[in-house]
Amino acid sequence: MYGTPEENIDDLIWAYDLLLNTITDVTVSDEYQQEVNMYLLAGNHDRLMANKDPNTERQGVYFLTRMLHERFRHRDNINIIQGDPVTSIRYGDTVNVIAQHGHLKKIKSSNMAQWRDLHGYDNVDRHLLLQGHVHRFDMHEFRTSPGYFLNVPCTVGKDSFQVDHLMKS
């Protein structure tokens, strides 16, 4: 978010509505009892103002985490989590998801095994590395073990820069 303060607030509202609708669609009703964990990761477009001080990078994700947490505070099975710059999540012995925004140090097909070894869990069937900084979708398969590395588009706004990059992928 690097637009005017008003445009940045509009982008936050748009992202909040998108995330709120996603959670609502998944959980359908208050009777839905499966655990839902939504991790929000900060990145270089996560500022409310154009100030590029690293201390301002978590403003947008902080706002979204607080708003969504407040909205679902009565639902014990919905967890809104502000993740670390690199967040590693283990789902039993089956899958390890390693997610990051990607602006600090990018995962590439040439170094994805090192990322898995550095941030991943041992003894899982499959690793999935997710990165959003490049604003496109592409996928690479691990050559040495089961798993994938995906670049996924970020939810940073709906301006022409975002749309153009997404359409190119």
Side-chain angles (χ1 to χ4, degrees):
M1 294 182 278
Y2 292 135
T4 66
E6 293 81 11
E7 290 169 334
N8 292 340
I9 296 299
D10 288 345
D11 282 346
L12 279 173
I13 292 168
W14 174 81
Y16 172 75
D17 285 342
L18 175 69
L19 296 170
L20 179 65
N21 290 333
T22 300
I23 295 171
T24 303
D25 288 349
V26 168
T27 60
V28 181
S29 70
D30 286 338
E31 289 80 40
Y32 183 88
Q33 293 303 310
Q34 292 293 103
E35 186 174 22
V36 174
N37 294 316
M38 178 174 278
Y39 290 84
L40 303 175
L41 306 179
N44 60 319
H45 291 280
D46 195 33
R47 301 172 180 96
L48 298 181
M49 303 302 278
N51 176 355
K52 293 191 177 187
D53 181 331
N55 294 325
T56 65
E57 285 186 358
R58 293 180 165 232
Q59 293 171 334
V61 81
Y62 175 79
F63 172 83
L64 291 171
T65 303
R66 289 290 305 266
M67 293 297 292
L68 290 165
H69 187 270
E70 181 63 23
R71 168 64 177 81
F72 292 105
R73 71 183 183 282
H74 68 286
R75 302 278 303 272
D76 293 336
N77 62 318
I78 298 177
N79 304 300
I80 311 298
I81 301 146
Q82 183 174 333
D84 292 323
V86 177
T87 298
S88 189
I89 308 150
R90 183 178 181 145
Y91 294 97
D93 293 334
T94 309
V95 176
N96 175 204
V97 175
I98 304 166
Q100 71 148 359
H101 176 75
H103 69 295
L104 298 175
K105 184 171 180 174
K106 292 182 185 140
I107 304 171
K108 303 173 193 161
S109 59
S110 61
N111 70 357
M112 59 189 188
Q114 290 96 341
W115 272 91
R116 178 202 58 216
D117 295 344
L118 182 62
H119 299 288
Y121 289 97
D122 293 331
N123 303 319
V124 293
D125 297 337
R126 184 168 313 277
H127 290 88
L128 180 62
L129 279 64
L130 301 174
Q131 170 176 267
H133 178 68
V134 293
H135 304 280
R136 69 172 185 270
F137 179 82
D138 58 27
M139 182 171 74
H140 307 274
E141 190 169 358
F142 280 100
R143 292 186 181 140
T144 57
S145 65
Y148 296 93
F149 159 49
L150 285 86
N151 279 308
V152 294
C154 294
T155 347
V156 296
K158 53 192 180 307
D159 58 58
S160 60
F161 176 82
Q162 309 307 325
V163 174
D164 290 346
H165 276 73
L166 182 56
M167 296 310 287
K168 287 178 185 174
S169 69

